[in-house]
Amino acid sequence: MNRKIGITGGASAGHVVPALAVAAELQRADCELVYFGRADSIEADLAAKAGIRIAAVPSAGLQRFRSWSNVTMPATVTRGVFAAWRAMRRERPDVVFSKGSYVSVPVGIAAWLNRIPLAIHESDHTLGLANRILARFATTVFLAEDTSGLPRWLQRKAVVTGLPLRDDLADGRPESLRARLGMPAGPPVLLIFCGSSGSQRVNEAVRHQLGNLTRHFSVVHICGRGNLDPALSSTLGYWQLEYLHGDMVDALWLSDLVIGRAGATTLAELEALAKPAVLVPLPASVSRGDQLDNARVYAQHATCLVVTDEEMGDGTPLLHACEQLLPALGSARRRPDPDVVRRTARDIASRTIALARPRGRHAR
């Protein structure tokens, strides 16, 4: 009998893309899927592109700076729990898989209230706030890596699986994207992307140094929705895009060097493709500091340099880092094995299916 699996997680591509990698393996196992997330959101958009039906659930996250949204956040989360509870009763999934972020909190709590097994996955070295909340309700906690110092109650639930990579990472067609962009062969390609919403500070720094960067590179700049600069649209050697979905893997394959944040998903993809990188981790002022830890650990074994947000200034440190990495370009290209790319997602999917409660034990 086919299982029905609930998926949740969102707010950024770093949460949604790994969730969809697991979802792809669940689909291959003939599971029926429903994605619990916010309406008109990145998770709704990407899930729809993957052919997964959305069950809308409101949610809100805690801002790490003074914001009126922090005042209304508890009410929104409470409303989200009730909405998710009703959605669980309607959809009746056999198990829920959560990839984290604040989007997942009401869904995970609602799964627990409905006595639906809950599996959560953590990408970083330490549990994020949402996963710290949901770990108490979860049946199983999947970890990207072995983490020391876990409390005993969490150790009993923890399973080290690795980080699921996007399903199509081994299927890049770089020349297809080059043709679409009208990019000539020749200079090495510098890909700049800082998540689905981009980064104003990185965008400004890159554009300050654009003349110097285009002397060395063909620059593909994914700057985030609403962040295009029309004045630069005819700049020779520069292609700016708001966002890439289906072409993102092609862009990664096309690139010789990447400037990006240090989210765990980004680093796993760069490592799988052996891409040299200049990392600009999110500062602790707007995050819990996980990207600073990620970048520090990654730089110990990968071809990359780290430029902190605080020292980026007018982009000169970014330019110098790119120039310093020029001799390393083109020497470490790697074509990943599709089976290796999908192995972790397949393992998580099979473990998630194994948690599913027997049919007939749904909440009444």
Side-chain angles (χ1 to χ4, degrees):
M1 183 179 294
N2 291 347
R3 297 296 188 179
K4 186 173 186 178
I5 313 292
I7 309 288
T8 190
S12 72
H15 289 103
V16 183
V17 169
L20 292 180
V22 175
E25 295 300 331
L26 291 168
Q27 288 173 318
R28 291 187 180 104
D30 293 325
C31 294
E32 179 185 353
L33 303 183
V34 57
Y35 204 110
F36 296 93
R38 301 161 301 153
D40 301 319
S41 65
I42 184 169
E43 60 267 20
D45 181 39
L46 296 183
K49 286 181 169 66
I52 302 174
R53 185 167 51 84
I54 289 287
V57 174
S59 191
L62 178 68
Q63 302 295 330
R64 297 177 187 271
F65 51 86
R66 291 185 178 182
S67 170
W68 280 110
S69 66
N70 287 340
V71 177
T72 60
M73 185 264 295
T76 304
V77 172
T78 301
R79 185 162 56 92
V81 171
F82 279 109
W85 181 81
R86 289 193 298 269
M88 290 287 166
R89 305 277 289 192
R90 181 179 68 250
E91 298 291 345
R92 298 162 65 88
D94 298 300
V95 62
V96 171
F97 171 74
S98 168
K99 192 57 199 74
S101 89
Y102 65 83
V103 174
S104 66
V105 172
V107 179
I109 293 173
W112 178 78
L113 289 172
N114 280 284
R115 298 183 179 181
I116 297 170
L118 172 66
I120 67 176
H121 184 278
E122 177 56 59
S123 298
D124 293 310
H125 301 281
T126 58
L127 295 184
L129 177 59
N131 277 345
R132 290 204 304 273
I133 294 170
L134 291 183
R136 291 285 183 179
F137 303 100
T139 310
T140 297
V141 178
F142 298 128
L143 301 175
E145 58 186 77
D146 198 2
T147 303
S148 60
L150 295 177
R152 188 167 297 174
W153 66 267
L154 184 52
Q155 289 178 13
R156 290 195 291 267
K157 298 182 177 186
V159 178
V160 179
T161 60
L163 179 64
L165 295 169
R166 64 170 70 224
D167 186 60
D168 58 349
L169 189 63
D171 303 326
R173 298 178 301 162
E175 294 310 313
S176 172
L177 180 60
R178 185 189 293 275
R180 186 169 78 79
L181 295 177
M183 178 187 295
V189 176
L190 172 63
L191 173 65
I192 302 153
F193 74 101
C194 290
S196 50
S197 58
S199 165
Q200 281 298 104
R201 283 177 59 80
V202 173
N203 289 347
E204 291 170 4
V206 165
R207 286 164 176 163
H208 266 111
Q209 298 298 327
L210 194 54
N212 293 319
L213 288 170
T214 53
R215 290 193 188 101
H216 301 294
F217 303 97
S218 292
V219 178
V220 178
H221 186 185
I222 305 171
C223 54
R225 290 187 174 94
N227 294 329
L228 296 177
D229 186 342
L232 299 174
S233 59
S234 60
T235 302
L236 190 64
Y238 178 64
W239 291 264
Q240 55 179 339
L241 304 151
E242 285 190 317
Y243 183 65
L244 286 177
H245 173 59
D247 292 333
M248 188 60 204
V249 170
D250 297 339
L252 285 169
W253 278 59
L254 181 61
S255 66
D256 296 284
L257 177 65
V258 172
I259 293 177
R261 293 298 195 187
T265 299
T266 296
L267 298 186
E269 292 172 355
L270 295 178
E271 183 170 25
L273 296 174
K275 295 293 179 180
V278 178
L279 301 179
V280 188
L282 275 173
S285 59
V286 295
S287 72
R288 60 189 175 92
D290 52 299
Q291 290 202 10
L292 293 166
D293 292 336
N294 292 347
R296 175 181 51 79
V297 173
Y298 187 73
Q300 292 172 1
H301 68 271
T303 304
C304 80
L305 294 171
V306 179
V307 175
T308 65
D309 210 76
E310 293 79 7
E311 68 187 3
M312 187 164 47
D314 67 351
T316 300
L318 284 182
L319 172 65
H320 289 167
C322 290
E323 290 174 336
Q324 191 173 337
L325 288 171
L326 273 170
L329 305 189
S331 61
R333 286 186 176 272
R334 179 186 301 160
R335 177 178 290 273
D337 182 338
D339 186 64
V340 173
V341 165
R342 295 172 181 148
R343 185 176 298 159
T344 296
R346 190 179 304 129
D347 178 39
I348 292 172
S350 64
R351 290 177 183 273
T352 299
I353 293 170
L355 295 175
R357 60 185 177 180
R359 288 295 176 95
R361 293 184 57 187
H362 291 277
R364 297 177 184 270

